[in-house]
Coordinates of all heavy atoms in Angstrom, one line a residue:
M1 N -25.6 27.9 57.5 CA -26.5 28.9 57.1 C -27.3 28.3 55.9 O -26.8 27.8 55.0 CB -25.8 30.2 56.7 CG -26.7 31.3 56.1 SD -25.8 32.8 55.8 CE -26.6 33.8 57.0
P2 N -28.7 28.5 56.0 CA -29.5 27.9 54.9 C -29.3 28.7 53.6 O -28.9 29.9 53.6 CB -30.9 28.1 55.4 CG -30.8 29.1 56.5 CD -29.4 29.1 57.0
V3 N -29.5 28.0 52.5 CA -29.4 28.6 51.2 C -30.5 29.6 51.0 O -31.6 29.4 51.3 CB -29.4 27.5 50.1 CG1 -29.4 28.1 48.7 CG2 -28.3 26.5 50.2
N4 N -30.1 30.7 50.4 CA -31.1 31.8 50.1 C -32.1 31.2 49.1 O -31.8 30.8 48.0 CB -30.4 33.0 49.5 CG -31.3 34.1 49.1 OD1 -32.5 34.0 49.0 ND2 -30.6 35.3 49.0
P5 N -33.4 31.2 49.5 CA -34.4 30.6 48.6 C -34.6 31.4 47.3 O -35.0 30.8 46.3 CB -35.7 30.7 49.4 CG -35.4 31.6 50.5 CD -34.0 31.7 50.7
K6 N -34.2 32.7 47.2 CA -34.2 33.4 46.0 C -33.1 32.9 45.0 O -33.3 33.1 43.8 CB -34.0 34.9 46.2 CG -35.1 35.5 47.0 CD -34.8 37.0 47.3 CE -35.9 37.6 48.1 NZ -35.6 39.0 48.5
L7 N -32.1 32.3 45.5 CA -31.0 31.8 44.7 C -31.2 30.4 44.3 O -30.7 29.9 43.2 CB -29.7 32.0 45.5 CG -28.4 31.6 44.8 CD1 -28.2 32.6 43.6 CD2 -27.2 31.8 45.8
K8 N -31.8 29.6 45.2 CA -32.0 28.1 45.0 C -32.8 27.9 43.7 O -33.9 28.4 43.5 CB -32.7 27.5 46.2 CG -32.8 26.0 46.1 CD -31.4 25.4 46.4 CE -31.6 23.9 46.5 NZ -30.4 23.2 46.1
D9 N -32.2 27.1 42.8 CA -32.7 26.8 41.5 C -32.1 25.6 40.9 O -30.9 25.4 41.1 CB -32.5 28.1 40.6 CG -32.9 28.0 39.2 OD1 -32.1 27.4 38.4 OD2 -34.0 28.4 38.8
P10 N -32.8 24.7 40.2 CA -32.2 23.5 39.6 C -31.0 23.8 38.7 O -30.0 23.1 38.6 CB -33.3 22.8 38.9 CG -34.6 23.4 39.5 CD -34.2 24.8 40.0
L11 N -31.1 24.9 37.9 CA -30.0 25.2 37.0 C -28.8 25.7 37.7 O -27.6 25.3 37.3 CB -30.4 26.3 36.0 CG -31.5 25.9 35.0 CD1 -31.9 27.0 34.1 CD2 -31.1 24.7 34.2
I12 N -29.0 26.4 38.8 CA -27.8 26.8 39.6 C -27.2 25.6 40.3 O -26.0 25.5 40.4 CB -28.2 28.0 40.6 CG1 -28.5 29.2 39.8 CG2 -27.1 28.2 41.6 CD1 -29.1 30.4 40.6
D13 N -28.1 24.7 40.8 CA -27.6 23.5 41.4 C -26.7 22.7 40.4 O -25.7 22.3 40.8 CB -28.8 22.5 41.8 CG -29.6 23.0 42.9 OD1 -29.2 23.9 43.7 OD2 -30.7 22.4 43.2
Q14 N -27.2 22.6 39.2 CA -26.4 21.9 38.1 C -25.0 22.6 37.9 O -24.0 21.9 37.8 CB -27.2 21.9 36.8 CG -26.4 21.2 35.7 CD -27.3 21.2 34.4 OE1 -27.8 20.2 34.1 NE2 -27.4 22.3 33.7
L15 N -25.0 23.9 37.9 CA -23.8 24.7 37.7 C -22.8 24.4 38.9 O -21.7 24.1 38.6 CB -24.1 26.2 37.6 CG -22.8 27.1 37.6 CD1 -22.0 26.8 36.3 CD2 -23.2 28.5 37.7
F16 N -23.3 24.5 40.1 CA -22.4 24.2 41.2 C -22.0 22.8 41.3 O -20.8 22.5 41.6 CB -23.2 24.6 42.5 CG -23.4 26.1 42.7 CD1 -24.3 26.5 43.6 CD2 -22.7 27.0 42.0 CE1 -24.6 27.9 43.8 CE2 -22.9 28.4 42.1 CZ -23.9 28.8 43.0
Q17 N -22.8 21.8 40.9 CA -22.4 20.4 40.8 C -21.3 20.3 39.8 O -20.3 19.5 40.0 CB -23.6 19.5 40.5 CG -24.5 19.4 41.7 CD -25.9 18.9 41.3 OE1 -26.1 18.4 40.2 NE2 -26.8 18.9 42.2
A18 N -21.4 21.0 38.7 CA -20.4 20.9 37.6 C -19.1 21.5 38.1 O -18.0 20.9 37.9 CB -20.8 21.7 36.4
I19 N -19.1 22.6 38.8 CA -17.9 23.2 39.4 C -17.2 22.3 40.4 O -16.0 22.1 40.4 CB -18.2 24.6 40.0 CG1 -18.6 25.6 38.9 CG2 -17.1 25.1 40.8 CD1 -19.3 26.9 39.5
L20 N -18.0 21.6 41.2 CA -17.4 20.7 42.2 C -16.8 19.5 41.5 O -16.0 18.8 42.1 CB -18.5 20.2 43.2 CG -19.0 21.3 44.1 CD1 -20.2 20.9 44.9 CD2 -17.9 21.7 45.1
L21 N -17.1 19.2 40.3 CA -16.5 18.1 39.5 C -15.1 18.5 38.9 O -14.4 17.6 38.5 CB -17.4 17.6 38.4 CG -18.7 17.0 38.9 CD1 -19.6 16.7 37.7 CD2 -18.4 15.7 39.6
L22 N -14.8 19.7 38.9 CA -13.5 20.1 38.3 C -12.4 19.7 39.3 O -12.5 19.8 40.5 CB -13.5 21.7 38.2 CG -14.5 22.2 37.2 CD1 -14.6 23.7 37.3 CD2 -14.3 21.7 35.8
Q23 N -11.3 19.1 38.7 CA -10.3 18.4 39.5 C -9.1 19.3 39.7 O -8.3 18.9 40.6 CB -10.0 17.1 38.8 CG -11.1 16.2 38.8 CD -10.8 14.8 38.2 OE1 -9.6 14.6 37.8 NE2 -11.8 14.0 38.1
D24 N -8.8 20.3 38.9 CA -7.6 21.1 39.1 C -7.8 22.4 38.5 O -8.8 22.8 37.9 CB -6.4 20.3 38.6 CG -6.5 20.0 37.1 OD1 -7.1 20.7 36.3 OD2 -5.9 19.0 36.7
E25 N -6.7 23.3 38.7 CA -6.8 24.6 38.2 C -6.9 24.7 36.7 O -7.7 25.6 36.2 CB -5.5 25.4 38.7 CG -5.6 26.9 38.5 CD -4.3 27.5 39.1 OE1 -4.3 27.7 40.4 OE2 -3.4 27.9 38.3
E26 N -6.2 23.8 36.0 CA -6.3 23.8 34.5 C -7.8 23.5 34.1 O -8.3 24.2 33.2 CB -5.4 22.7 34.0 CG -5.4 22.7 32.4 CD -4.9 24.0 31.8 OE1 -4.0 24.7 32.3 OE2 -5.4 24.3 30.7
E27 N -8.4 22.6 34.7 CA -9.8 22.3 34.3 C -10.7 23.5 34.7 O -11.7 23.8 33.9 CB -10.4 21.1 35.1 CG -9.8 19.8 34.5 CD -10.4 18.6 35.1 OE1 -11.3 18.7 36.0 OE2 -10.0 17.5 34.7
C28 N -10.4 24.2 35.7 CA -11.2 25.4 36.1 C -11.0 26.5 35.0 O -12.0 27.1 34.6 CB -10.7 26.0 37.4 SG -11.3 25.1 38.8
Y29 N -9.8 26.7 34.5 CA -9.5 27.6 33.4 C -10.3 27.2 32.2 O -11.0 28.1 31.6 CB -8.0 27.7 33.1 CG -7.3 28.7 33.9 CD1 -6.5 28.4 35.0 CD2 -7.3 30.1 33.5 CE1 -5.8 29.3 35.7 CE2 -6.6 31.0 34.2 CZ -5.9 30.6 35.3 OH -5.2 31.6 36.1
Q30 N -10.3 26.0 31.9 CA -11.0 25.5 30.7 C -12.5 25.7 30.8 O -13.2 26.2 29.9 CB -10.7 24.0 30.4 CG -9.3 23.8 30.0 CD -9.0 22.3 30.0 OE1 -9.2 21.5 30.9 NE2 -8.4 21.8 28.8
F31 N -13.1 25.3 31.9 CA -14.5 25.5 32.1 C -15.0 26.9 32.2 O -15.9 27.3 31.5 CB -14.9 24.7 33.4 CG -16.4 24.9 33.7 CD1 -17.3 24.2 33.0 CD2 -16.9 25.7 34.7 CE1 -18.7 24.3 33.2 CE2 -18.2 25.8 35.0 CZ -19.1 25.1 34.2
F32 N -14.3 27.7 33.0 CA -14.7 29.1 33.1 C -14.5 29.9 31.9 O -15.2 30.9 31.6 CB -14.1 29.8 34.4 CG -14.8 29.4 35.6 CD1 -14.3 28.3 36.4 CD2 -15.9 30.0 36.0 CE1 -15.0 27.9 37.6 CE2 -16.6 29.6 37.2 CZ -16.1 28.6 38.0
E33 N -13.5 29.6 31.1 CA -13.3 30.3 29.8 C -14.5 30.0 28.9 O -14.9 30.9 28.1 CB -12.0 29.8 29.1 CG -11.8 30.5 27.8 CD -10.5 30.1 27.1 OE1 -9.6 29.5 27.8 OE2 -10.3 30.4 25.9
D34 N -15.1 28.8 29.0 CA -16.2 28.5 28.1 C -17.5 29.0 28.7 O -18.4 29.4 27.9 CB -16.4 26.9 28.0 CG -15.3 26.3 27.1 OD1 -14.6 27.1 26.4 OD2 -15.2 25.1 27.1
V35 N -17.7 29.0 30.0 CA -19.0 29.3 30.6 C -19.1 30.8 30.9 O -20.3 31.3 31.1 CB -19.2 28.5 31.9 CG1 -18.4 29.0 33.1 CG2 -20.7 28.3 32.2
S36 N -18.1 31.6 30.9 CA -18.2 33.0 31.2 C -17.3 33.8 30.3 O -16.4 33.3 29.6 CB -17.8 33.3 32.7 OG -16.4 33.0 32.9
T37 N -17.6 35.1 30.3 CA -16.7 36.0 29.5 C -15.4 36.3 30.4 O -15.4 36.1 31.6 CB -17.4 37.4 29.2 OG1 -17.6 38.1 30.5 CG2 -18.7 37.2 28.5
I38 N -14.4 36.8 29.7 CA -13.2 37.1 30.5 C -13.5 38.2 31.5 O -13.0 38.2 32.6 CB -12.1 37.6 29.5 CG1 -11.6 36.3 28.7 CG2 -10.9 38.2 30.2 CD1 -10.7 36.6 27.5
G39 N -14.3 39.2 31.1 CA -14.7 40.3 32.0 C -15.5 39.8 33.2 O -15.2 40.3 34.3
E40 N -16.4 38.8 33.0 CA -17.1 38.3 34.2 C -16.1 37.6 35.1 O -16.2 37.7 36.4 CB -18.2 37.3 33.7 CG -19.3 38.0 33.0 CD -20.2 37.0 32.3 OE1 -19.8 35.9 31.9 OE2 -21.4 37.3 32.0
L41 N -15.2 36.8 34.6 CA -14.3 36.1 35.4 C -13.3 37.1 36.1 O -13.1 36.9 37.3 CB -13.5 35.1 34.5 CG -12.6 34.1 35.2 CD1 -13.4 33.3 36.3 CD2 -12.0 33.2 34.2
K42 N -12.9 38.1 35.5 CA -12.0 39.1 36.1 C -12.8 39.8 37.2 O -12.2 40.1 38.3 CB -11.5 40.0 35.1 CG -10.4 39.4 34.2 CD -9.7 40.4 33.3 CE -8.7 39.7 32.4 NZ -7.3 40.0 32.9
S43 N -14.1 40.1 37.0 CA -14.9 40.7 38.1 C -15.0 39.9 39.3 O -14.9 40.4 40.4 CB -16.3 41.1 37.5 OG -16.2 42.1 36.6
L44 N -15.2 38.6 39.1 CA -15.3 37.6 40.2 C -14.0 37.6 41.0 O -13.9 37.7 42.2 CB -15.7 36.2 39.8 CG -17.1 36.1 39.2 CD1 -17.3 34.7 38.6 CD2 -18.1 36.3 40.3
A45 N -12.9 37.5 40.2 CA -11.5 37.5 40.8 C -11.3 38.8 41.6 O -10.7 38.7 42.7 CB -10.5 37.2 39.8
Q46 N -11.7 39.9 41.0 CA -11.5 41.2 41.7 C -12.2 41.2 43.0 O -11.7 41.7 44.0 CB -11.9 42.3 40.7 CG -11.8 43.7 41.3 CD -12.5 44.7 40.4 OE1 -13.7 44.7 40.3 NE2 -11.7 45.6 39.8
R47 N -13.5 40.8 43.0 CA -14.3 40.8 44.2 C -13.6 40.0 45.3 O -13.6 40.3 46.5 CB -15.7 40.3 44.0 CG -16.5 41.3 43.2 CD -17.9 40.8 42.9 NE -18.4 41.6 41.8 CZ -19.3 41.1 40.9 NH1 -19.7 39.8 41.1 NH2 -19.8 41.8 40.0
L48 N -13.1 38.8 44.9 CA -12.4 38.0 45.9 C -11.2 38.7 46.5 O -11.0 38.6 47.7 CB -12.0 36.6 45.3 CG -11.4 35.6 46.3 CD1 -12.3 35.3 47.4 CD2 -11.0 34.4 45.5
E49 N -10.4 39.3 45.7 CA -9.3 40.1 46.2 C -9.7 41.2 47.1 O -9.1 41.5 48.1 CB -8.4 40.6 45.0 CG -7.2 41.4 45.4 CD -6.2 40.6 46.3 OE1 -6.3 39.4 46.5 OE2 -5.3 41.3 46.8
V50 N -10.8 41.9 46.7 CA -11.3 43.0 47.5 C -11.7 42.5 48.9 O -11.3 43.0 49.9 CB -12.5 43.7 46.9 CG1 -13.3 44.6 47.8 CG2 -12.1 44.5 45.6
A51 N -12.4 41.3 48.9 CA -12.7 40.7 50.2 C -11.5 40.4 51.0 O -11.4 40.6 52.2 CB -13.6 39.5 50.0
R52 N -10.5 39.8 50.4 CA -9.2 39.4 51.1 C -8.6 40.7 51.7 O -8.2 40.7 52.9 CB -8.3 38.8 50.1 CG -7.0 38.2 50.8 CD -6.0 37.7 49.8 NE -5.4 38.8 49.1 CZ -4.4 39.6 49.6 NH1 -4.0 39.4 50.8 NH2 -3.9 40.6 48.9
M53 N -8.5 41.7 50.9 CA -7.9 43.0 51.4 C -8.7 43.6 52.5 O -8.1 44.1 53.4 CB -7.7 43.9 50.2 CG -6.6 43.5 49.2 SD -6.4 44.6 47.9 CE -5.4 45.9 48.7
L54 N -10.0 43.6 52.4 CA -10.9 44.1 53.5 C -10.6 43.3 54.8 O -10.5 43.9 55.8 CB -12.4 44.1 53.1 CG -12.8 45.1 52.1 CD1 -14.2 44.8 51.6 CD2 -12.8 46.5 52.7
Q55 N -10.5 42.0 54.7 CA -10.3 41.2 55.9 C -8.9 41.5 56.5 O -8.8 41.5 57.7 CB -10.4 39.7 55.5 CG -11.7 39.2 55.5 CD -11.8 37.7 55.6 OE1 -10.8 37.0 55.3 NE2 -12.9 37.1 55.9
L56 N -8.0 41.9 55.7 CA -6.7 42.3 56.2 C -6.6 43.7 56.7 O -5.6 44.2 57.2 CB -5.6 42.1 55.1 CG -5.4 40.7 54.6 CD1 -4.4 40.7 53.4 CD2 -4.8 39.9 55.8
G57 N -7.7 44.5 56.6 CA -7.8 45.8 57.1 C -7.3 46.9 56.1 O -7.1 48.0 56.5
S58 N -7.2 46.6 54.9 CA -6.8 47.6 53.9 C -7.8 48.7 53.7 O -9.0 48.5 53.9 CB -6.6 46.9 52.5 OG -5.6 45.9 52.5
T59 N -7.3 49.9 53.4 CA -8.2 51.0 53.2 C -8.8 50.9 51.8 O -8.3 50.3 50.9 CB -7.4 52.4 53.3 OG1 -6.5 52.4 52.2 CG2 -6.7 52.5 54.6
Y60 N -9.9 51.7 51.6 CA -10.6 51.7 50.3 C -9.6 52.2 49.3 O -9.5 51.7 48.2 CB -11.8 52.7 50.3 CG -13.1 52.0 50.8 CD1 -13.1 51.0 51.8 CD2 -14.3 52.3 50.1 CE1 -14.3 50.4 52.2 CE2 -15.5 51.7 50.5 CZ -15.5 50.8 51.5 OH -16.6 50.2 51.9
D61 N -8.8 53.3 49.6 CA -7.8 53.8 48.7 C -6.8 52.7 48.2 O -6.4 52.6 47.1 CB -7.1 55.0 49.3 CG -7.9 56.2 49.4 OD1 -9.0 56.3 48.6 OD2 -7.6 57.1 50.2
D62 N -6.3 52.0 49.2 CA -5.3 50.9 48.9 C -6.0 49.8 48.0 O -5.4 49.3 47.0 CB -4.8 50.2 50.1 CG -3.9 51.1 50.9 OD1 -3.3 52.1 50.4 OD2 -3.7 50.8 52.1
I63 N -7.2 49.5 48.3 CA -7.9 48.5 47.5 C -8.2 49.0 46.0 O -8.0 48.2 45.1 CB -9.3 48.1 48.2 CG1 -9.0 47.4 49.5 CG2 -10.1 47.2 47.3 CD1 -10.2 47.2 50.4
V64 N -8.6 50.2 45.9 CA -8.8 50.8 44.6 C -7.5 50.8 43.8 O -7.5 50.4 42.6 CB -9.4 52.3 44.7 CG1 -9.3 53.0 43.3 CG2 -10.8 52.2 45.2
A65 N -6.4 51.2 44.4 CA -5.1 51.3 43.8 C -4.7 49.9 43.3 O -4.1 49.7 42.2 CB -4.1 51.9 44.7
R66 N -4.9 48.9 44.1 CA -4.4 47.5 43.8 C -5.3 46.8 42.8 O -4.8 46.1 42.0 CB -4.3 46.7 45.1 CG -4.1 45.2 44.8 CD -3.1 44.5 45.7 NE -3.1 43.1 45.6 CZ -2.5 42.4 44.6 NH1 -2.0 43.0 43.6 NH2 -2.6 41.1 44.6
T67 N -6.6 46.9 43.0 CA -7.5 46.1 42.2 C -8.2 46.9 41.1 O -8.8 46.2 40.2 CB -8.6 45.5 43.1 OG1 -9.5 46.6 43.6 CG2 -8.0 44.7 44.3
G68 N -8.3 48.2 41.2 CA -9.1 49.0 40.2 C -10.6 48.9 40.5 O -11.4 49.4 39.7
A69 N -11.0 48.3 41.6 CA -12.4 48.2 41.9 C -13.0 49.5 42.3 O -12.3 50.4 42.8 CB -12.6 47.2 43.1
S70 N -14.3 49.7 41.9 CA -14.9 51.0 42.3 C -15.2 50.9 43.8 O -15.3 49.9 44.4 CB -16.2 51.1 41.5 OG -17.2 50.2 41.9
T71 N -15.5 52.1 44.4 CA -15.8 52.2 45.8 C -17.2 51.5 46.0 O -17.4 50.9 47.1 CB -15.9 53.6 46.3 OG1 -16.7 54.4 45.5 CG2 -14.5 54.2 46.3
A72 N -18.1 51.5 45.0 CA -19.4 50.8 45.1 C -19.1 49.3 45.2 O -19.8 48.6 46.0 CB -20.2 51.1 43.9
T73 N -18.2 48.8 44.4 CA -17.9 47.3 44.5 C -17.3 47.0 45.9 O -17.7 46.0 46.5 CB -17.0 46.9 43.4 OG1 -17.6 47.1 42.1 CG2 -16.5 45.5 43.5
I74 N -16.4 47.8 46.3 CA -15.8 47.6 47.6 C -16.9 47.6 48.7 O -16.9 46.7 49.6 CB -14.7 48.6 47.9 CG1 -13.6 48.5 46.9 CG2 -14.1 48.5 49.3 CD1 -12.6 49.7 46.9
S75 N -17.8 48.6 48.7 CA -18.8 48.6 49.7 C -19.7 47.4 49.6 O -20.2 46.9 50.7 CB -19.7 49.9 49.4 OG -18.9 51.0 49.7
R76 N -20.0 46.9 48.4 CA -20.9 45.7 48.3 C -20.2 44.5 48.9 O -20.8 43.7 49.6 CB -21.2 45.5 46.8 CG -22.2 44.3 46.6 CD -22.5 44.1 45.1 NE -23.4 43.0 45.0 CZ -23.1 41.7 45.1 NH1 -21.8 41.4 45.3 NH2 -23.9 40.8 44.9
V77 N -18.9 44.4 48.6 CA -18.2 43.2 49.1 C -18.1 43.3 50.6 O -18.3 42.3 51.4 CB -16.8 43.1 48.5 CG1 -15.9 42.1 49.2 CG2 -16.9 42.8 47.0
K78 N -17.9 44.5 51.1 CA -17.8 44.7 52.6 C -19.2 44.4 53.3 O -19.2 43.7 54.3 CB -17.4 46.2 52.9 CG -17.2 46.4 54.4 CD -16.7 47.8 54.7 CE -16.4 48.0 56.2 NZ -15.9 49.3 56.4
R79 N -20.3 44.7 52.6 CA -21.6 44.4 53.1 C -21.8 42.9 53.2 O -22.3 42.3 54.1 CB -22.7 45.1 52.3 CG -24.0 45.0 52.8 CD -25.0 45.9 52.1 NE -25.0 45.9 50.7 CZ -24.5 46.9 49.9 NH1 -24.0 48.0 50.4 NH2 -24.5 46.8 48.6
C80 N -21.3 42.2 52.1 CA -21.3 40.7 52.1 C -20.5 40.1 53.2 O -20.9 39.1 53.8 CB -20.9 40.2 50.7 SG -22.1 40.5 49.4
L81 N -19.3 40.7 53.4 CA -18.5 40.2 54.5 C -19.1 40.3 55.9 O -19.0 39.4 56.7 CB -17.1 40.9 54.5 CG -16.1 40.5 53.5 CD1 -14.9 41.5 53.5 CD2 -15.6 39.1 53.7
N82 N -19.8 41.4 56.0 CA -20.4 41.7 57.3 C -21.8 41.1 57.5 O -22.1 40.7 58.7 CB -20.5 43.2 57.6 CG -19.2 43.9 57.7 OD1 -18.2 43.3 58.2 ND2 -19.1 45.1 57.3
Y83 N -22.6 41.0 56.5 CA -24.0 40.5 56.6 C -24.4 39.4 55.7 O -25.5 39.0 55.6 CB -24.9 41.7 56.4 CG -24.6 42.9 57.3 CD1 -24.0 44.1 56.7 CD2 -24.8 42.9 58.7 CE1 -23.7 45.2 57.5 CE2 -24.5 44.0 59.5 CZ -23.9 45.1 58.9 OH -23.6 46.2 59.7
G84 N -23.5 38.9 54.9 CA -23.8 37.9 53.9 C -23.8 36.5 54.4 O -23.9 36.3 55.6
A85 N -23.7 35.6 53.5 CA -23.8 34.1 53.8 C -22.5 33.5 54.2 O -22.4 32.3 54.4 CB -24.4 33.4 52.6
D86 N -21.5 34.3 54.4 CA -20.1 33.9 54.9 C -19.4 33.1 53.8 O -18.4 32.4 54.1 CB -20.2 33.1 56.2 CG -18.8 33.1 56.9 OD1 -18.1 34.1 56.7 OD2 -18.5 32.0 57.5
G87 N -19.8 33.2 52.5 CA -19.1 32.5 51.5 C -17.7 33.0 51.3 O -16.7 32.2 51.1
Y88 N -17.5 34.3 51.4 CA -16.1 34.9 51.3 C -15.3 34.3 52.4 O -14.1 33.9 52.3 CB -16.1 36.4 51.3 CG -16.5 37.1 50.1 CD1 -17.6 38.0 50.0 CD2 -15.8 36.9 48.9 CE1 -17.9 38.6 48.9 CE2 -16.1 37.6 47.7 CZ -17.2 38.4 47.7 OH -17.5 39.1 46.6
G89 N -15.8 34.4 53.6 CA -15.1 33.9 54.8 C -14.6 32.5 54.7 O -13.5 32.1 55.0
I90 N -15.5 31.6 54.2 CA -15.2 30.2 54.1 C -14.0 30.0 53.1 O -13.0 29.4 53.4 CB -16.4 29.4 53.5 CG1 -17.5 29.3 54.6 CG2 -16.0 28.0 53.1 CD1 -18.9 28.9 54.1
V91 N -14.2 30.6 51.9 CA -13.1 30.5 50.9 C -11.8 31.1 51.3 O -10.7 30.5 51.1 CB -13.6 31.1 49.5 CG1 -12.5 31.2 48.5 CG2 -14.8 30.2 49.0
L92 N -11.9 32.3 51.9 CA -10.6 33.0 52.3 C -9.9 32.3 53.4 O -8.7 32.2 53.3 CB -10.9 34.4 52.6 CG -11.3 35.3 51.5 CD1 -11.8 36.7 52.0 CD2 -10.2 35.5 50.5
S93 N -10.6 31.7 54.3 CA -9.9 31.0 55.4 C -9.3 29.7 54.8 O -8.2 29.3 55.2 CB -10.9 30.6 56.5 OG -11.9 29.7 56.1
R94 N -10.0 29.0 53.9 CA -9.4 27.8 53.2 C -8.2 28.2 52.4 O -7.2 27.4 52.4 CB -10.4 27.1 52.5 CG -11.5 26.4 53.4 CD -12.5 25.7 52.6 NE -13.5 25.2 53.6 CZ -14.7 24.7 53.2 NH1 -15.0 24.6 51.9 NH2 -15.5 24.3 54.1
L95 N -8.3 29.3 51.7 CA -7.1 29.7 50.9 C -5.9 30.1 51.8 O -4.8 29.7 51.5 CB -7.4 31.0 50.0 CG -8.3 30.7 48.8 CD1 -8.7 32.0 48.2 CD2 -7.5 29.9 47.8
D96 N -6.2 30.7 52.9 CA -5.2 31.0 53.9 C -4.5 29.8 54.4 O -3.3 29.7 54.5 CB -5.8 31.9 55.0 CG -4.7 32.4 56.0 OD1 -3.7 32.9 55.5 OD2 -4.9 32.3 57.2
E97 N -5.3 28.8 54.8 CA -4.8 27.5 55.3 C -4.0 26.8 54.2 O -2.9 26.3 54.5 CB -5.9 26.6 55.7 CG -6.6 27.0 57.0 CD -5.6 27.0 58.2 OE1 -4.8 26.1 58.3 OE2 -5.6 28.0 58.9
K98 N -4.4 26.8 53.0 CA -3.7 26.2 51.9 C -2.4 26.9 51.7 O -1.4 26.2 51.4 CB -4.5 26.2 50.6 CG -3.9 25.5 49.5 CD -4.9 25.4 48.3 CE -4.2 24.9 47.1 NZ -4.4 23.5 46.8
G99 N -2.3 28.2 51.8 CA -1.1 29.0 51.7 C -0.1 28.6 52.8 O 1.1 28.8 52.6
K100 N -0.6 28.2 53.9 CA 0.4 27.8 55.0 C 1.0 26.4 54.9 O 1.9 26.1 55.6 CB -0.4 27.9 56.3 CG -0.8 29.3 56.7 CD -1.6 29.4 58.0 CE -1.9 30.8 58.3 NZ -2.8 30.9 59.5
E101 N 0.4 25.6 53.9 CA 0.9 24.3 53.8 C 2.2 24.2 53.1 O 2.6 25.0 52.3 CB -0.1 23.4 52.9 CG -1.4 23.2 53.7 CD -2.4 22.4 52.8 OE1 -2.1 22.2 51.6 OE2 -3.5 22.2 53.4

């Protein structure tokens, strides 16, 4: 799928290139602690868990109870799963494969 032209930007390219240079989980913690707030990072992690739970067929009530996400956030993630760039799908399938190793 082509990159969304509204998103494509040299500064975002630089950020993604920097992320791809991180070598392990510890480096990720170090980088993301510096580049984002704790709240921003927790929000990203929450959305990924919401996507995982939606793929598993969890109900909105179960997702709210487990993650604390609002129904608006759950709906947005669901829309991305159904009509987005498949970023969640790529990452979740790779995490699933890694978990099977």
Side-chain angles (χ1 to χ4, degrees):
M1 173 174 249
V3 174
N4 181 340
K6 294 178 184 176
L7 185 62
K8 187 72 173 151
D9 173 276
L11 294 178
I12 294 175
D13 289 348
Q14 178 179 258
L15 173 64
F16 291 162
Q17 289 164 8
I19 291 168
L20 290 170
L21 293 173
L22 298 170
Q23 295 182 4
D24 56 30
E25 192 174 284
E26 181 63 30
E27 287 186 1
C28 287
Y29 271 99
Q30 291 172 310
F31 178 73
F32 281 96
E33 183 176 343
D34 287 348
V35 79
S36 66
T37 66
I38 293 171
E40 290 167 337
L41 192 53
K42 288 184 180 257
S43 290
L44 292 172
Q46 180 189 65
R47 289 180 199 146
L48 183 59
E49 178 61 9
V50 167
R52 188 189 70 77
M53 292 182 74
L54 284 168
Q55 278 195 340
L56 293 173
S58 299
T59 66
Y60 274 38
D61 288 339
D62 290 340
I63 295 169
V64 168
R66 167 139 170 76
T67 68
S70 69
T71 56
T73 295
I74 298 168
S75 294
R76 183 180 181 284
V77 171
K78 185 174 184 177
R79 191 167 45 253
C80 289
L81 283 170
N82 293 330
Y83 307 108
D86 198 34
Y88 283 122
I90 291 166
V91 169
L92 290 170
S93 68
R94 290 181 185 165
L95 283 171
D96 186 46
E97 286 301 313
K98 185 174 173 99
K100 290 178 182 175
E101 292 176 358

